[in-house]
Amino acid sequence: MQEKVEEEWPCLELTEPKFGILSQFTSSASEAVAHILVKELVEKVDKPLSTSSSQDESFSTDSDLEWIMQVTNHSLTLPFIPNQCYETLRSAVRIYIAWSSALTTDSPRQYCPKQILLYPDKYFKKFLEAFRHIFQEKSTFSTSDNHLILSRQGTQIQTILTAIRHLTNSSKDEFKDEVWARCLLFLLNVNDQLITIGCCKSQESIGYLMSKDLCQNLFDCWLKASLNDCIPSPAYWTTFSCLSNKCGAQIQFIECWANSILHSTSLLLKHLFGQQQQMEVQEENVVFG
């Protein structure tokens, strides 16, 4: 039966994140461009909207925006040390999260280019594709640097995962399908990058340290999407099944799976028999609201 389903609905392609044009230059040149431009851009984004010019036409065309996004995307590939690289990378994360708010019901509080305000769904998938660079194992220069790198990378991963949860909860109705489709695919991709067999090479790897957060966010979002009929196609289920087979050796993945089954059972009992028969499950609201 499973083979028949996979034939009819093949797995989605989980590819490696792509690099932009700046990666073809020397690191000193590309980093210098990223440091200068992202610093200026994040200052614009961080400025309260009320004090920004309402007639600001920066990056008002698609080609302008694509160019500045090449720089921002490259910033997300920078190492977590030295400090200047990390500040640029962290600023790039903040920029894309702020711009993603154009998809939500939140009132705009930060600067956002006109093109993104008009067509946020067009650019959102590009933001997520660029974010995937954060979810990769990074080479370390020395053992003493490893703790700092892991701490900084873990912080940015948490920031992005929190933003993903907020987007799925508060997206505008017109963008709801696109947000769910892109966020679920993103979570499948980053779990595949970091916690499948062979990825968690040691207990000092970012995949091992963040595996619980990655798995839990995937399962939580998947259950919410299922309950709200937001799984885009059976191909997503096929891909999830294949990913589960690849993650079968990860204890955290198995634990999250078990917790999700427990949550689902609790909800089913509540629906069938009422509140008194509901199983006591902690943090049920995290998944079911």
Side-chain angles (χ1 to χ4, degrees), residues 17-212:
K18 300 175 182 178
F19 291 87
I21 187 66
L22 282 179
S23 64
Q24 299 180 34
F25 291 85
T26 62
S27 59
S28 58
S30 58
E31 286 177 12
V33 171
H35 294 328
I36 294 170
L37 296 184
V38 169
K39 182 176 185 293
E40 184 171 325
L41 185 58
V42 79
E43 288 174 354
K44 183 187 288 285
V45 169
D46 285 344
K47 188 183 299 182
L49 193 62
S50 58
T51 62
S52 300
S53 171
S54 59
Q55 302 300 319
D56 193 334
E57 293 295 326
S58 301
F59 321 123
S60 59
T61 67
D62 186 67
S63 57
D64 289 345
L65 186 56
E66 289 288 350
W67 184 84
I68 198 62
M69 284 178 62
Q70 283 282 341
V71 179
T72 311
N73 290 353
H74 184 75
S75 300
L76 294 168
T77 70
L78 297 180
F80 290 89
I81 54 173
N83 290 339
Q84 187 179 24
C85 285
Y86 178 58
E87 286 303 318
T88 300
L89 181 151
R90 187 170 65 167
S91 296
V93 171
R94 199 154 71 246
I95 289 166
Y96 276 171
I97 288 177
W99 289 357
S100 296
S101 65
L103 290 155
T104 70
T105 55
D106 301 337
S107 300
R109 299 187 183 91
Q110 295 168 295
Y111 165 77
C112 191
K114 180 180 178 181
Q115 287 294 310
I116 293 177
L117 290 174
L118 291 173
Y119 313 107
D121 52 330
K122 174 183 176 181
Y123 297 98
F124 178 56
K125 61 182 180 182
K126 298 179 181 180
F127 299 162
L128 292 182
E129 178 66 25
F131 276 153
R132 288 178 55 206
H133 289 288
I134 304 293
F135 294 75
Q136 290 190 304
E137 292 287 349
K138 303 291 184 179
S139 58
T140 57
F141 300 98
S142 67
T143 304
S144 60
D145 294 328
N146 195 44
H147 178 74
L148 179 60
I149 291 172
L150 291 174
S151 175
R152 288 177 170 181
Q153 187 173 10
T155 298
Q156 295 311 307
I157 287 175
Q158 287 278 20
T159 299
I160 294 169
L161 292 176
T162 299
I164 293 293
R165 291 196 301 271
H166 178 69
L167 284 164
T168 56
N169 287 330
S170 58
S171 59
K172 296 176 182 177
D173 289 342
E174 61 193 290
F175 302 126
K176 183 178 179 181
D177 291 342
E178 178 71 8
V179 167
W180 273 112
R182 294 298 173 184
C183 287
L184 290 174
L185 182 58
F186 173 80
L187 290 170
L188 288 169
N189 262 307
V190 296
N191 274 271
D192 184 63
Q193 287 174 207
L194 282 180
I195 67 169
T196 51
I197 296 173
C199 291
C200 299
K201 297 178 181 179
S202 74
Q203 294 186 4
E204 293 299 316
S205 67
I206 191 65
Y208 181 87
L209 295 174
M210 298 302 298
S211 57
K212 183 177 181 180

